[in-house]
C-alpha cells in the first residue's frame, strides 16, 4: 500500500493541509517543535481506524476551523482509492471509500484493504513515535507479540515448553533434594525406621512376667487416685459455691440497710408484700447470730432481714413482688398522686421550655424593632432640616423616577455637547474666514507687482547680457514674451480675486449660521434647566440638586423607606410574638390550676407573667423528680433484695440452705478465697498424680502387647523389602524423566541458535546494520515472552534492560521493521509512519540507520519519517539521496 496524497480538512492545529506527490519510498517531513508532526501522525491513525471517543485527549478536535477529518488517496496492488473520514453519528466518524472511477464502495472495503490489521497492531508497529520506541511493552500486545515469539516454535501438536514443565513437575513429585513428602524421600525415611525397629526387636530380653506384676500394682494405685480425685473435686466445688454465695449475701444485707434508710421498716415491707399477694416469712435474725467479721463488712441486719433468714433456713419458695408496684405502695399518698400525673408534669415541663423560647423570641424581636426604629430616625437626621419620615415616605423612589432623572441628565448632556460643538464650529468658521481675508489682502498687494517686476528684470537682463549685435532682437522677443506672460498673470490674478470674494461670502454666511446654532443650543439648555427645576418642585426635592445628587438622594430615600418597612415588619413580628406568648401563658396557667398550683399573682403583661410561671413549673418538676428518684431507689433496693434471695436459694443446692448459712456465718470473703485456692491446688495435684500413674500404666500395657506379638520382627523385615522394591521403581521413573529433560535442554539450545523465527532473523540483520556489527543476533528464548541480544565480541546475551537507551531504541526499531516486512509478505505492506525516532542515536548509528531506512524503502515499503532536527535532515540528505525531503507548512 502506498499513500499518494494526504488532505486534512480539520484536525487539531491543522486546517486545509494537503501533502501531494508523496514518494513511494522514503519521505522525510520536517517541522519545528509544536509544528504539528504528532498531530499529522495521529490523523493518519484516525483516518484508517477511527477517531478517539469524544472527550479523549487524542481526539484532536479542529482548533482552527474546518470539518473534523479529511482523506487519503492511496494505491494498493495497482488499484487507486480515496479513503475519507468525517465527523459522524458515532464518535469513530463516518468513513467512505471511493474507487478511481468515482464509484463509492462499501465501508467494509477499508477492512479488506487493511487485510484485517487491528488498530493496536498498526499503532505499535506501523505508526509510532519516540514514546512507543522507548518501551518494550508496546510490542507485548497479543496480536503483536505473536509474530515475534510464536512462529516456528513447534512442528507438531505437542507444546515443547509445556512438555518440559511437565517433566520437571513429575521429577519434583518423585524426588526433591531435602524434600519430605515425595515418594523417594518418604521411602528412604521409612526404610531407615524399619531397620531401627528390626535391630531393637532382635535384641529385646524376655521380661513379660515382670511387666505383668508392675501392671497390677499400677492398676491398684490408679483406683486409689480416682477416689482421691473425686473427694478433691467435691471439696473444690463446695468452696466455689461458698465464694459465689457470699457476694449475694452481702448484696442482700446492703439492700435491707438501704431500704431502712429510706424509712421502710421490715413490717412495712412485709405488709406491702401481703397487699401484693406475696407471702413473706416473718422469722427473725438478730445481729448477735452473725459472726463478728460479717458484721464489720456488711450493714447490720434489721427486722427486714426476716425474709432472708427464713429463705435460708427453709427450703420453701417465696415469690418476690413486682419492684415498681411494691415501691409505689410504700410511698406516701401525696407522692403517689404526684407520680400519677407524670405525663401532665412532663408535658408542663415541655410547655415551660416552649414558654421560655417564646419569651426570648419576643424580647429579641422587641429589641430588634427598637434598634431598627432608632437607626431609622438617626439616619433621617442626616438628611438635614425640613425632613420628616412622612416626607420621605411620599417621595417617589421607583424606577420611573430614576429613568426621568436620567432622561433629563442625558438631554442636558446632549445640549451641553451641542453648545460646545456649535461654538467650536463657529470659531473654526471664523478662523477660516479671517485667513481667507488676510490671504486676499496679501495677494492683492504683492502678487501683481512681483510678477511685473520679474518680467521687467528679465527684459533688462536680456538687454545687458546679450551681445550687442543680437541685443535688439533678443530684447524684442523677451519683451513680447514678458508681455504675454504678464497679461496671463494679470488675468489669472483678477479671476482669483473674483473667486476669493465669492468664497469669503460663503464662509461668512457659514460662520453666521454656526453662531445662530450656538445661540439656539443655549436657549434649549435654558429650557431644560427650567424643566428640571419644575420637576424638582413637583417631587418636593431641593431646588439646588444636580442630576447625580438627585439620584443619590433617591437612593438614600429608597434605603430609608426600606428600613422603615423593615421596622414596621419587626413591630408586627413583636406583636405576633407577644400574642403567642400570651396564649402560651394562659395554657400553662390552666395546666397549673388543674394540678392545684393556682396561688400565682399574675398581671396582664405576658412578659412579666413568664418568670413566675417558670418558677412554679421548676418547683413542681423538682418535687416530681424527687418523688420519682425516691420510688426508683426503693425499687432498686427491692430488686436487689429479691435477686439476692433467689441466688442464695439456688446456690444452696443439695446441701440445703441451713448448711450454706452455717458456712457463710462461720467465715469471711478472704478465708473463702484462700479456701478456693487451696482446694484448687489439691485438685490439680490429685489430677496430676492420677494422670502420671495412668500414663505409666498405658506405656506398660504397650510393652506387654509388643512382647506378646511374636510376628512383629517378621513383619518389619517383609515391609522393608517391599519398600526397597518400590524405591527402585521410583528411582527408575525419576531417571527416565531426568534424561528427557537433559535432551530437551540440548534441543532448546540448538533451536535458539539455529532455528529462530523469521521475524527475529530480519531483526538481527537490521540491528547488526544499525550498530555496525556490535550486536549480531536477537533471540527469543523458547517458550518465554522476552528477548535477548547477543554481543558480537563476547557472545554474551543481554536483556533489553541492560542496554543503553539508544541501543534499546535501535533494537525496538529493528523489531518493528522486521514485523512490518514479514507482515507485508503475509498480509499487506502498510506505510511506516515514524516521529523523531533517530533523535537518541549517535552520528555513526544515525547514518547507518538512515541508509538502512533508504534500502528498506527501496524494497517496496513506503516510509513517512517526521523530524524537527536540522542535523537529521542533513543526515538524510547525505545518506539517503533518493529520499523526498520537504518542510511542513506553518499552521499559525
Amino acid at each position: 500500500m502506498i499513500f499518494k496524497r494526504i488532505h486534512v480538512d480539520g484536525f487539531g492545529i491543522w486546517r486545509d493541509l494537503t501533502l501531494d506527490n508523496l514518494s513511494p519510498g522514503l519521505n522525510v517531513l520536517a517541522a519545528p517543535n509544536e509544528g504539528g508532526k504528532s498531530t499529522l501522525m495521529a490523523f493518519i491513525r484516525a483516518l484508517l481506524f477511527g477517531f478517539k471517543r469524544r472527550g479523549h485527549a487524542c481526539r484532536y478536535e479542529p482548533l482552527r476551523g474546518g470539518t473534523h477529518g479529511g482523506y487519503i488517496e492511496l494505491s494498493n496492488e495497482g488499484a487507486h482509492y480515496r479513503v475519507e473520514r468525517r465527523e459522524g453519528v458515532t464518535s469513530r466518524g463516518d468513513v467512505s471509500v471511493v474507487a478511481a472511477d468515482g464509484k463509492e464502495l462499501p465501508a467494509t472495503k477499508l477492512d479488506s484493504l487493511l487485510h484485517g490489521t487491528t488498530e493496536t497492531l498498526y499503532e505499535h508497529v506501523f505508526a509510532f513515535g519516540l514514546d512507543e520506541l522507548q518501551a518494550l511493552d508496546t510490542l507485548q500486545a497479543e496480536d503483536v507479540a505473536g509474530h515475534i515469539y510464536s512462529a516456528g516454535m513447534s512442528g507438531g501438536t505437542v507444546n515443547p515448553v509445556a512438555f518440559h514443565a511437565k517433566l520437571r513437575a513429575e521429577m519434583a513429585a518423585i524426588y526433591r533434594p531435602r524434600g519430605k513428602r515425595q515418594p523417594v524421600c518418604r521411602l528412604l525415611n521409612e526404610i531407615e525406621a524399619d531397620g531401627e525397629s528390626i535391630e531393637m526387636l532382635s535384641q529385646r530380653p524376655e521380661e513379660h512376667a515382670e511387666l505383668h506384676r508392675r501392671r497390677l500394682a499400677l492398676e491398684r494405685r490408679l483406683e486409689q487416685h480416682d477416689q482421691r480425685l473425686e473427694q478433691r473435686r467435691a471439696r473444690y466445688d463446695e468452696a466455689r459455691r461458698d465464694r459465689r454465695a457470699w457476694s449475694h449475701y452481702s448484696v442482700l444485707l446492703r439492700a435491707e440497710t438501704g431500704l431502712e434508710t429510706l424509712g421502710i421498716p421490715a413490717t412495712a415491707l412485709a405488709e406491702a408484700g401481703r397487699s401484693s399477694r406475696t407471702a413473706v416469712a416473718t422469722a427473725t435474725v438478730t445481729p448477735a447470730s452473725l459472726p463478728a467479721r460479717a458484721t464489720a463488712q456488711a450493714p447490720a441486719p434489721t427486722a427486714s432481714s426476716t425474709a432472708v433468714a427464713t429463705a435460708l433456713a427453709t427450703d420453701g419458695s417465696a415469690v418476690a413482688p413486682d419492684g415498681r408496684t411494691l415501691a409505689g405502695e410504700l410511698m406516701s399518698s401525696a407522692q403517689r398522686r404526684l407520680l400519677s400525673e407524670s405525663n401532665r408534669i412532663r408535658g408542663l415541663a415541655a410547655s415551660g421550655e416552649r414558654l421560655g423560647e417564646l419569651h426570648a423570641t419576643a424580647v429579641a424581636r422587641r429589641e430588634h424593632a427598637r434598634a431598627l426604629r432608632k437607626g431609622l430616625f438617626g439616619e433621617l437626621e442626616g438628611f438635614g432640616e425640613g425632613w420628616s419620615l412622612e416626607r420621605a415616605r411620599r417621595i417617589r423612589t421607583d424606577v420611573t423616577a430614576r429613568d426621568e432623572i436620567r432622561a433629563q441628565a442625558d438631554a442636558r448632556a446632549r445640549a451641553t455637547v451641542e453648545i460646545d460643538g456649535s461654538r467650536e464650529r463657529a470659531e473654526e468658521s471664523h478662523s477660516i474666514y479671517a485667513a481667507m481675508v488676510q490671504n486676499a489682502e496679501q495677494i492683492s498687494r504683492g502678487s501683481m507687482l512681483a510678477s511685473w517686476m520679474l518680467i521687467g528684470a528679465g527684459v533688462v537682463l536680456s538687454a545687458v547680457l546679450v551681445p550687442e549685435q543680437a541685443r535688439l532682437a533678443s530684447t524684442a522677443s523677451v519683451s513680447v514674451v514678458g508681455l504675454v506672460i504678464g497679461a496671463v498673470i494679470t488675468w489669472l490674478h483678477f479671476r482669483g480675486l473674483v473667486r476669493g470674494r465669492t468664497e469669503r461670502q460663503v464662509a461668512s454666511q457659514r460662520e453666521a449660521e454656526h453662531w445662530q446654532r450656538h445661540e439656539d443650543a443655549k436657549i434649549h439648555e435654558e429650557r431644560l434647566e427650567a424643566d428640571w427645576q419644575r420637576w424638582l418642585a413637583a417631587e418636593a426635592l431641593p431646588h439646588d440638586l444636580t442630576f447625580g445628587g438627585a439620584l443619590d438622594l433617591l437612593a438614600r430615600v429608597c434605603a430609608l423607606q426600606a428600613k422603615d418597612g423593615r421596622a414596621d415588619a419587626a413591630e408586627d413580628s413583636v406583636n405576633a410574638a407577644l400574642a403567642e406568648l400570651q396564649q402560651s401563658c394562659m395554657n400553662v396557667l390552666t395546666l397549673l390550676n388543674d394540678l392545684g398550683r393556682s396561688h400565682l399573682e399574675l398581671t396582664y403583661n405576658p412578659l412579666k407573667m413568664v418568670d413566675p410561671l417558670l418558677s412554679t413549673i421548676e418547683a413542681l418538676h423538682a418535687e416530681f423528680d424527687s418523688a420519682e428518684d425516691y420510688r426508683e431507689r426503693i425499687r432498686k433496693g427491692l430488686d436487689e433484695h429479691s435477686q439476692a434471695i433467689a441466688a442464695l436459694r439456688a446456690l444452696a443446692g443439695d446441701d440445703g440452705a441451713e448448711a450454706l448459712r452455717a458456712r457463710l456465718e462461720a467465715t469471711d470473703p478472704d478465708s473463702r478465697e484462700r479456701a478456693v485456692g487451696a482446694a484448687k491446688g489439691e485438685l490439680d495435684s490429685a489430677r496430676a498424680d492420677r494422670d502420671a500413674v495412668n500414663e505409666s500404666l498405658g506405656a506398660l500395657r504397650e510393652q506387654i502387647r509388643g512382647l506378646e506379638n511374636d510376628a512383629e520382627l517378621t513383619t518389619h523385615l517383609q515391609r522393608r523389602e517391599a519398600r526397597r522394591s518400590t524405591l527402585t521403581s521410583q528411582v527408575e521413573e525419576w531417571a527416565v524423566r531426568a534424561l528427557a529433560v537433559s535432551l530437551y535442554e540440548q534441543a532448546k539450545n540448538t533451536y535458539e541458535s539455529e532455528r529462530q523465527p523469521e521475524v527475529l532473523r530480519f531483526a538481527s540483520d537490521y540491528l547488526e546494520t544499525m550498530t555496525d556489527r556490535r550486536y549480531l543476533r536477537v533471540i527469543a528464548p523458547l517458550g518465554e515472552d522476552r528477548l535477548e541480544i547477543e554481543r558480537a565480541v563476547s557472545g554474551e546475551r543481554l536483556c533489553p534492560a541492560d542496554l543503553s537507551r539508544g541501543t534499546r531504541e535501535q533494537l525496538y526499531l529493528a523489531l518493528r521493521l522486521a514485523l512490518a516486512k514479514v507482515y507485508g509478505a503475509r498480509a499487506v505492506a502498510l506505510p511506516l509512519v515514524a516521529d523523531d525516532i533517530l533523535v537518541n542515536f549517535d552520528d555513526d548509528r544515525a547514518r547507518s540507520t538512515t541508509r538502512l531506512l533508504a534500502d528498506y524503502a527501496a524494497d517496496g515499503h513506503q516510509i513517512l519519517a517526521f523530524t524537527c532536527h536540522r542535523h537529521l535532515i542533513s543526515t538524510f540528505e547525505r545518506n539517503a539521496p533518493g529520499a523526498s525531503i520537504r518542510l511542513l507548512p506553518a499552521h499559525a
Side-chain angles (χ1 to χ4, degrees):
M1 180 182 293
I2 303 297
F3 290 163
K4 295 293 188 180
R5 185 184 192 197
I6 299 175
H7 176 77
V8 184
D9 283 346
F11 195 83
I13 60 176
W14 289 115
R15 177 186 178 186
D16 197 21
L17 170 68
T18 302
L19 300 178
D20 281 321
N21 302 321
L22 293 174
S23 170
L26 178 58
N27 297 268
V28 179
L29 305 175
N33 286 329
E34 300 183 357
K37 306 184 300 301
S38 300
T39 304
L40 190 56
M41 182 171 69
F43 169 76
I44 296 173
R45 291 175 176 173
L47 193 131
L48 294 179
F49 296 97
F51 303 125
K52 299 295 184 184
R53 67 179 184 275
R54 292 184 174 88
H56 195 279
C58 297
R59 182 173 173 82
Y60 290 99
E61 297 284 354
L63 300 178
R64 304 178 184 276
T67 304
H68 194 197
Y71 64 83
I72 293 179
E73 294 180 0
L74 54 88
S75 64
N76 185 53
E77 298 178 353
H80 298 274
Y81 304 93
R82 172 171 168 164
V83 180
E84 184 172 357
R85 190 179 295 271
R86 304 288 182 184
E87 187 76 25
V89 178
T90 65
S91 61
R92 305 295 284 179
D94 295 336
V95 64
S96 63
V97 181
V98 181
D101 57 0
K103 180 181 179 180
E104 186 168 353
L105 304 176
T108 55
K109 179 62 178 178
L110 179 58
D111 294 334
S112 64
L113 291 175
L114 296 174
H115 285 264
T117 304
T118 64
E119 183 177 2
T120 301
L121 178 62
Y122 183 77
E123 291 186 357
H124 291 175
V125 175
F126 294 95
F128 54 91
L130 188 58
D131 291 340
E132 292 85 357
L133 194 62
Q134 290 176 344
L136 177 62
D137 55 1
T138 58
L139 293 176
Q140 296 289 1
E142 183 177 354
D143 51 355
V144 179
H147 294 283
I148 301 177
Y149 303 111
S150 62
M153 282 182 60
S154 176
T157 59
V158 178
N159 186 340
V161 179
F163 176 68
H164 177 258
K166 181 180 178 183
L167 289 177
R168 286 286 189 183
E170 292 176 353
M171 289 175 62
I174 296 173
Y175 170 72
R176 178 181 296 171
R178 295 184 299 277
K180 295 182 179 180
R181 298 182 180 180
Q182 290 73 24
V184 172
C185 301
R186 188 175 65 253
L187 287 170
L188 289 173
N189 293 332
E190 291 173 351
I191 290 171
E192 183 178 356
D194 287 339
E196 294 175 356
S197 298
I198 290 169
E199 182 180 359
M200 181 183 67
L201 290 172
S202 299
Q203 299 176 358
R204 186 170 59 184
E206 291 294 333
E207 51 185 9
H208 189 269
E210 178 65 23
L211 292 177
H212 267 290
R213 287 192 296 270
R214 291 171 58 188
R215 186 194 67 178
L216 293 175
L218 287 175
E219 287 176 351
R220 287 192 296 271
R221 288 179 61 190
L222 185 61
E223 291 178 359
Q224 296 173 358
H225 281 292
D226 286 340
Q227 295 175 1
R228 181 185 175 194
L229 182 63
E230 288 299 324
Q231 295 173 358
R232 299 287 176 84
R233 184 179 290 112
R235 190 179 304 169
Y236 177 63
D237 291 341
E238 180 182 299
R240 290 175 62 196
R241 284 200 309 271
D242 291 350
R243 182 179 60 181
R244 292 174 58 191
W246 181 262
S247 62
H248 296 295
Y249 184 68
S250 300
V251 171
L252 180 65
L253 296 179
R254 185 172 63 250
E256 293 173 348
T257 303
L259 290 172
E260 283 206 351
T261 59
L262 295 175
I264 302 175
T267 55
L269 182 62
E271 188 67 27
R274 282 192 294 272
S275 66
S276 300
R277 296 180 178 83
T278 302
V280 180
T282 59
T284 304
V285 177
T286 63
S289 63
L290 293 176
R293 190 170 184 84
T295 306
Q297 293 191 3
T302 64
S304 62
S305 61
T306 56
V308 182
T310 302
L312 292 176
T314 66
D315 293 331
S317 60
V319 180
D322 177 67
R324 192 176 184 87
T325 304
L326 184 57
E329 294 178 356
L330 295 175
M331 297 175 67
S332 66
S333 59
Q335 289 174 325
R336 286 198 296 273
R337 284 197 305 273
L338 191 64
L339 291 176
S340 65
E341 297 290 348
S342 60
N343 293 332
R344 301 180 71 178
I345 292 175
R346 291 191 178 95
L348 187 62
S351 300
E353 293 179 0
R354 177 60 179 165
L355 194 64
E357 294 174 358
L358 292 176
H359 180 268
T361 301
V363 172
R365 289 183 181 180
R366 185 180 63 179
E367 295 301 323
H368 178 63
R370 289 176 178 176
L372 288 177
R373 187 62 67 184
K374 182 178 180 181
L376 177 66
F377 284 107
E379 188 169 347
L380 186 63
E381 292 178 358
F383 281 77
E385 296 181 358
W387 282 89
S388 65
L389 190 58
E390 293 300 326
R391 180 183 177 184
R393 290 172 177 171
R394 289 196 304 269
I395 293 177
R396 286 192 308 136
T397 60
D398 54 3
V399 177
T400 304
R402 294 189 181 93
D403 290 343
E404 290 175 0
I405 294 174
R406 294 189 184 97
Q408 294 197 40
D410 292 342
R412 180 71 67 84
R414 289 194 298 273
T416 302
V417 171
E418 179 62 23
I419 291 173
D420 296 339
S422 61
R423 183 177 65 252
E424 291 177 358
R425 290 190 293 272
E427 291 175 351
E428 183 180 0
S429 299
H430 177 72
S431 300
I432 294 172
Y433 176 74
M436 293 174 66
V437 171
Q438 186 177 2
N439 290 337
E441 292 177 354
Q442 291 176 354
I443 292 173
S444 61
R445 287 195 300 267
S447 60
M448 189 73 174
L449 180 60
S451 299
W452 282 107
M453 288 178 66
L454 289 173
I455 293 172
V459 174
V460 172
L461 289 174
S462 63
V464 174
L465 299 177
V466 176
E468 184 177 355
Q469 57 273 17
R471 183 177 301 166
L472 181 59
S474 175
T475 301
S477 60
V478 170
S479 298
V480 172
V481 172
L483 289 174
V484 173
I485 293 174
V488 172
I489 291 174
T490 301
W491 181 77
L492 291 174
H493 174 71
F494 283 108
R495 182 182 176 185
L497 290 177
V498 174
R499 182 176 298 172
R501 188 179 300 110
T502 303
E503 291 177 351
R504 287 194 298 275
Q505 291 177 354
V506 173
S508 176
Q509 185 178 359
R510 187 176 300 161
E511 179 185 0
E513 292 175 356
H514 284 314
W515 282 115
Q516 183 60 42
R517 289 176 184 171
H518 177 65
E519 292 298 326
D520 294 342
K522 291 171 63 177
I523 294 172
H524 180 62
E525 184 184 30
E526 293 174 356
R527 292 198 195 98
L528 292 176
E529 176 63 23
D531 293 342
W532 172 242
Q533 292 298 326
R534 284 193 296 272
W535 190 88
L536 291 175
E539 296 297 330
L541 295 175
H543 67 278
D544 56 347
L545 284 178
T546 62
F547 298 111
L551 288 174
D552 293 341
L553 182 60
L554 286 187
R556 292 177 61 194
V557 172
C558 182
L560 187 67
Q561 292 174 352
K563 291 183 178 180
D564 184 31
R566 289 194 294 272
D568 291 340
E571 291 171 353
D572 294 339
S573 177
V574 171
N575 294 331
L578 290 175
E580 187 176 2
L581 180 61
Q582 176 74 29
Q583 182 62 41
S584 181
C585 288
M586 298 308 296
N587 294 337
V588 171
L589 186 59
T590 300
L591 287 175
L592 291 175
N593 288 332
D594 293 341
L595 293 172
R597 305 299 172 105
S598 57
H599 57 280
L600 300 175
E601 295 181 1
L602 302 176
T603 64
Y604 291 100
N605 187 348
L607 294 177
K608 295 181 179 181
M609 293 171 63
V610 172
D611 289 339
L613 290 175
L614 291 180
S615 299
T616 303
I617 291 172
E618 185 176 357
L620 180 61
H621 202 271
E623 293 178 16
F624 175 78
D625 288 342
S626 177
E628 196 171 46
D629 180 65
Y630 183 70
R631 181 180 64 182
E632 183 64 21
R633 290 166 63 190
I634 294 176
R635 184 201 62 77
K636 185 176 180 182
L638 292 175
D639 288 344
E640 289 181 350
H641 189 277
S642 175
Q643 292 170 5
I645 290 177
L648 290 173
R649 189 166 52 246
L651 289 172
D654 297 334
D655 294 340
E658 183 65 26
L660 177 59
R661 186 194 64 168
R663 290 196 301 271
L664 292 175
E665 292 175 351
T667 185
D668 57 65
D670 293 337
S671 60
R672 286 294 92 201
E673 288 295 335
R674 289 193 297 271
V676 170
K680 186 176 186 304
E682 293 174 356
L683 176 63
D684 293 340
S685 177
R687 186 183 290 117
D689 294 341
R690 194 259 182 199
D691 292 342
V693 173
N694 192 35
E695 185 177 354
S696 299
L697 181 60
L700 190 60
R701 286 171 178 170
E702 287 296 327
Q703 291 181 8
I704 293 173
R705 279 196 299 269
L707 291 175
E708 292 174 349
N709 190 1
D710 296 335
E712 187 175 0
L713 179 59
T714 304
T715 301
H716 279 288
L717 292 172
Q718 292 176 351
R719 187 185 302 162
R720 183 175 65 179
E721 291 304 318
R723 286 171 176 168
R724 284 177 176 176
S725 177
T726 304
L727 176 63
T728 302
S729 62
Q730 292 289 338
V731 171
E732 290 175 354
E733 291 290 334
W734 185 87
V736 170
R737 286 162 176 76
L739 179 60
V741 168
S742 177
L743 293 175
Y744 170 84
E745 291 177 350
Q746 293 179 10
K748 175 176 177 291
N749 293 332
T750 303
Y751 168 81
E752 291 178 353
S753 60
E754 299 177 3
R755 297 189 60 240
Q756 283 289 306
E758 184 181 14
V759 171
L760 297 180
R761 290 202 301 272
F762 284 126
S764 299
D765 294 340
Y766 297 151
L767 182 63
E768 181 180 359
T769 300
M770 284 189 283
T771 61
D772 294 330
R773 296 185 57 80
R774 183 177 178 84
Y775 296 94
L776 297 182
R777 286 198 305 152
V778 180
I779 303 167
L782 184 61
E784 302 180 25
D785 288 350
R786 63 185 183 89
L787 296 173
E788 293 180 350
I789 303 169
E790 183 177 322
R791 196 189 295 271
V793 177
S794 61
E796 178 186 6
R797 290 187 179 186
L798 303 175
C799 296
D802 299 330
L803 304 175
S804 66
R805 182 173 64 177
T807 305
R808 191 162 55 246
E809 292 176 8
Q810 290 149 21
L811 166 64
Y812 299 157
L813 177 59
L815 284 171
R816 284 178 168 83
L817 294 176
L819 283 167
K821 186 174 184 66
V822 173
Y823 192 80
R826 297 178 181 176
V828 58
L830 297 173
L832 278 173
V833 183
D835 184 11
D836 258 340
I837 59 174
L838 307 180
V839 66
N840 292 323
F841 293 11
D842 59 30
D843 294 340
D844 293 337
R845 295 192 181 184
R847 286 191 292 271
S848 300
T849 305
T850 302
R851 288 193 289 269
L852 173 63
L853 292 177
D855 295 339
Y856 187 86
D859 288 342
H861 212 122
Q862 187 183 37
I863 299 176
L864 304 179
F866 296 100
T867 185
C868 63
H869 297 279
R870 296 183 182 275
H871 70 279
L872 291 179
I873 298 175
S874 302
T875 301
F876 276 108
E877 289 175 344
R878 289 193 298 270
N879 298 279
S884 173
I885 299 176
R886 66 173 69 183
L887 297 177
L888 290 177
H891 55 78

